[in-house]
Amino acid sequence: MSGMKRVSYGYVSRTEQAIIEELSREEKHMNAIIYTKPHCQKCRHTAMKLKQVMPVSTITADADDYERFRKLGYRSMPVVKIYKADGIHDEWCDLRVDKIKQYTEG
């Protein structure tokens, strides 16, 4: 796993690790990392909705990301990871209105 780092809550990319550490220092309650693909309406919609309630970082997925997501059983974009300061809290793929509402209306 080139570029991957093992942390207490799983493997994350260097980019993801840097974002997590930055957000932890800022002591944000929750934040999202959204892996997107270009021209993806579902990706834009998901990011737009979650940005209303928490900091969001978007990362354009590359070949390594797609491979990692396939191994996790994810078959569509976006891939969303919601973090609390203590690590991963929730993750999903595709446009999940139910999940978005859980955070925007919760």
Side-chain angles (χ1 to χ4, degrees), residues 92-105:
W92 69 86
C93 73
D94 208 349
L95 177 61
R96 293 278 306 274
V97 176
D98 61 322
K99 288 285 201 179
I100 293 169
K101 281 185 175 176
Q102 184 181 324
Y103 293 99
T104 58
E105 296 177 2

Side-chain angles (χ1 to χ4, degrees), residues 31-93:
N31 51 80
I33 297 175
I34 304 175
Y35 285 88
T36 63
K37 65 180 183 183
H39 317 295
C40 169
Q41 197 62 39
K42 295 186 291 186
C43 301
R44 275 198 298 276
H45 180 79
T46 300
M48 180 189 71
K49 288 292 190 186
L50 289 176
K51 279 180 182 175
Q52 295 171 7
V53 295
M54 69 181 79
V56 171
S57 300
T58 55
I59 300 171
T60 303
D62 62 18
D64 289 340
D65 294 322
Y66 287 124
E67 180 63 26
R68 186 162 47 111
F69 299 148
R70 270 195 298 278
K71 287 179 180 168
L72 291 169
Y74 294 154
R75 299 280 181 255
S76 56
M77 299 300 280
V79 172
V80 180
K81 296 183 174 202
I82 305 284
Y83 289 93
K84 285 186 175 178
D86 60 355
I88 273 197
H89 175 61
D90 201 0
E91 65 181 75
W92 69 86
C93 73

